[in-house]
């Protein structure tokens, strides 16, 4: 297949590009390199440096494509709280331009990266796909708006087929594809930097949540298992339909538990400080993975420990 990967220079997108190239597909990447890294793009893929809102760039990558994997988005919750206009412009505006481009070039299949952040503070746990969606930050609002747009596009264009994957917390890496954000905001990379002595201390954002140890609970899925979900999603697209799946393991870990796993697996000690809650963080998010297991046959094979080990290996090798 010919596959267009938006955001293919980013953390998750670059893993998907490597997997698609490995499976023998022809891959074109569209990335504005605002947060992604040129070096993360598999050399067998064609990289077009450009923005989703740039019509010329879309007209270069879309002709002849069979499907789009749409990762490109700004995705930092706290930043989105400070810059809602930038998030709506980039994420929703970019997706409108992408869907218009797809219609222009007769490309009808898309797998879309959504998020557990669209649920906001869930009414019940574990979270199922039919749970109420009520985001509590602009990042989640933009992802929900894009989901709605896809659903409306499927009504308007009977040939259009979409799969929405609502990611929980994505962690770990394939060899040499370390997660790198500037500045880094995500839990595992920050913890590993603290373990490597690259940060003076690790801060726990909130220890007064209504959870067993007071810290936030999240469902951590290995990026390579997440990419497998995309491969399955591509094979299950049906014209006129939008299918939606949560992607997580169905087991929650608290921030304190992740800290303990990192201490044990790296063998390093580092300072852990209590800090204030971070704006926009729901106390607890974990999925019921039944639907993706039953309908797509998704079988994750890696756990949080595997993710920590893979990311720690990548970090220590990158520093050699
Ligand atoms: N977190 C933390 N300290 C940090 C970074 C993150 O305590 O330096 C917490 C954060 O409050 C959340 C969890 O770790 O409860 C996961 O955060 P991350 O940013 O990795 O992902 P999110 O859940 O926001 O998508």
């Amino acid at each position: 297949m010919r596959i267009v990967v938006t955001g293919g220079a980013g953390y998750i997108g670059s893993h998907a590009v490597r997997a698609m190239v490995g499976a023998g597909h022809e891959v074109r990447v569209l990335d504005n390199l605002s947060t992604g890294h040129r070096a993360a793009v598999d050399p067998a893929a064609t990289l077009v440096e450009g923005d989703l809102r740039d019509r010329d760039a879309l007209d270069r990558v879309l002709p002849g494509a069979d499907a789009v994997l749409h990762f490109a988005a700004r995705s930092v919750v706290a930043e989105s709280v400070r810059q809602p206009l930038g998030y709506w412009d980039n994420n929703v505006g970019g997706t409108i331009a992408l869907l218009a481009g797809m219609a222009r070039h007769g490309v009808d299949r898309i797998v879309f990266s959504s998020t557990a952040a669209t649920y906001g503070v869930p009414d019940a746990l574990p979270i199922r796909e039919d749970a109420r969606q009520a985001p509590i930050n602009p990042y989640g609002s933009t992802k929900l708006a894009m989901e709605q747009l896809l659903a409306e596009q499927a009504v308007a264009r009977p040939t259009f087929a979409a799969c929405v994957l609502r990611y929980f917390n994505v962690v770990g890496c394939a060899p040499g594809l370390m997660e790198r954000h500037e500045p880094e905001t995500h839990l595992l990379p920050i913890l590993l930097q603290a373990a490597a002595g690259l940060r003076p201390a690790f801060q726990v954002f909130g220890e007064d949540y209504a959870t067993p140890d007071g810290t936030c609970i999240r469902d951590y899925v290995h990026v390579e298992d997440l990419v497998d979900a995309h491969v399955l999603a591509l094979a299950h697209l049906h014209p006129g339909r939008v299918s939606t799946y949560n992607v997580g393991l169905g087991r929650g870990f608290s921030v304190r538990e992740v800290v303990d796993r990192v201490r044990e697996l790296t063998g390093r000690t580092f300072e852990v400080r209590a800090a204030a809650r971070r704006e926009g963080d729901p106390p607890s998010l974990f999925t019921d993975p039944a639907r993706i297991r039953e309908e797509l046959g998704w079988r994750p094979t890696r756990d949080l420990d595997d993710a920590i080990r893979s990311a720690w290996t990548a970090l220590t090798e990158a520093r050699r």
Side-chain angles (χ1 to χ4, degrees), residues 136-151:
I136 59 166
N137 53 60
Y139 167 61
S141 303
T142 64
K143 287 285 180 176
L144 179 56
M146 293 182 273
E147 286 194 12
Q148 286 169 344
L149 184 55
L150 290 172

Side-chain angles (χ1 to χ4, degrees), residues 75 77 115 139 168-169 185-191 199 202-206 209 215-218 220 255 278 281-283 285:
S75 62
V77 168
T115 170
Y139 167 61
F168 283 64
N169 287 61
T185 62
H186 292 105
L187 174 65
L188 185 56
I190 286 180
L191 266 175
R199 285 177 186 264
F202 170 74
Q203 295 188 307
V204 180
F205 295 146
Y209 286 99
T215 67
C216 286
I217 291 173
R218 296 287 182 274
Y220 294 92
V255 172
R278 189 174 67 176
D281 272 346
L285 296 171

